[in-house]
Amino acid sequence: MKSLFTRYIGAVVVISMMLGACQADNTEKEENDSQGQTSNETHEVNENIAIQGLADHYHTGDTIELSAELEEDSEYDHWHWYTLSPDQDPEDEESWEAVPDNGTDTYTGTAEENGVQIQAKLFDNDHNVVSQSSPVTITIDDHHGSDNDPVAQRIYEGFFYYDEVGERELSDFEGDWQSVYPYLLNGDLDEVMEVKAENDDEMTKEDYIEHYKSAYETDVERVIITDDSFTFYYDDGREESAKYESDGYEILERDSGNRQVRFVYKRQDDTEEMPTYMIFSDHNINTATAYHFHLYFGEDREALLAERSHFPTYYPSELDGDGLVRDMLAH
């Protein structure tokens, strides 16, 4: 009996030790799991990087220059940039391609394909991602076509058929627009004038500046257009608005042999402070979104259609001097 009791007690001790060991293993496993979760949290990726320098749109062949800006200081400076083709899934990490030879917070590339996404990531010393930006999308819009669109290019150059011309709604010109005249006066457009002179054997850069001082001159610094109205903002602080609707278009024959279409809009209320006629030319000949335009405005429809030397020119108000230069050189 004593021997059986002793063996029973021994068995209980062994089982207790085994259960204790299992509990210890489970506790250790739970601690390790907890440490693993803590480690993952340590390397949790923060989206606290802002990408600066993205243009509203690019033209094919433009240089893209971006910079990554951290919202808070970091001890790390190991960067990588990634691009994603427009036909790829942004959720698929393997679809993103690392930009070679680029380990800084700046990116330089060429606009070649519309819809490409770009993302910046910051790594720690163990090459774990600690911060990243939201992807930005590159928009390419050549406005009037490129070498790959000969019809659009032909029309842009003023060679088109009468049956290609169509009516346009005022909504084609809807937006917030700024005059380029102040930028010419302060020298921001000197690069544009220099490029024009390089392609001209008769006129110098200074000649072009003087020519466009006359062509661009206007006291209407800003224009806001809706689908049925214009609002003028004058350089003396005045603001005037009126309702307008389409009054047709005119096809003008030029001495050079090409053509121009001007789209006419007539005031529909008695706001005499605003011009009776607004006439657009933006190189388009049918319904299309305007990206810049020449605006002829006044009381005499025929005189405005005959005007050749004075054409106040407007670009989106969001563009700064550099943006204007980039757009003008692309046309």
Side-chain angles (χ1 to χ4, degrees), residues 74-141:
S74 174
E75 60 182 304
Y76 306 113
D77 61 358
H78 182 186
W79 295 87
H80 282 298
W81 292 80
Y82 297 84
T83 61
L84 181 76
S85 298
D87 59 345
Q88 298 295 315
D89 180 6
E91 299 299 325
D92 181 6
E93 290 291 334
E94 295 183 357
S95 296
W96 289 85
E97 296 185 7
V99 177
D101 303 321
N102 191 334
T104 70
D105 60 355
T106 60
Y107 167 89
T108 301
T110 303
E112 297 177 341
E113 185 177 14
N114 183 54
V116 169
Q117 294 187 54
I118 300 177
Q119 184 178 37
K121 294 184 178 183
L122 180 65
F123 293 80
D124 64 16
N125 296 331
D126 296 321
H127 211 262
N128 295 306
V129 180
V130 292
S131 297
Q132 66 184 28
S133 70
S134 296
V136 296
T137 301
I138 302 301
T139 300
I140 297 179
D141 194 327

Side-chain angles (χ1 to χ4, degrees), residues 71 173 188 210 221 299 320:
E71 296 176 359
F173 305 94
D188 281 351
E210 291 305 312
E221 292 187 335
E299 303 307 306
D320 59 8

Side-chain angles (χ1 to χ4, degrees), residues 197-209:
E198 290 173 353
N199 297 304
D200 191 327
D201 295 332
E202 298 181 359
M203 293 180 65
T204 66
K205 169 186 171 182
E206 289 70 27
D207 291 335
Y208 270 106
I209 290 174

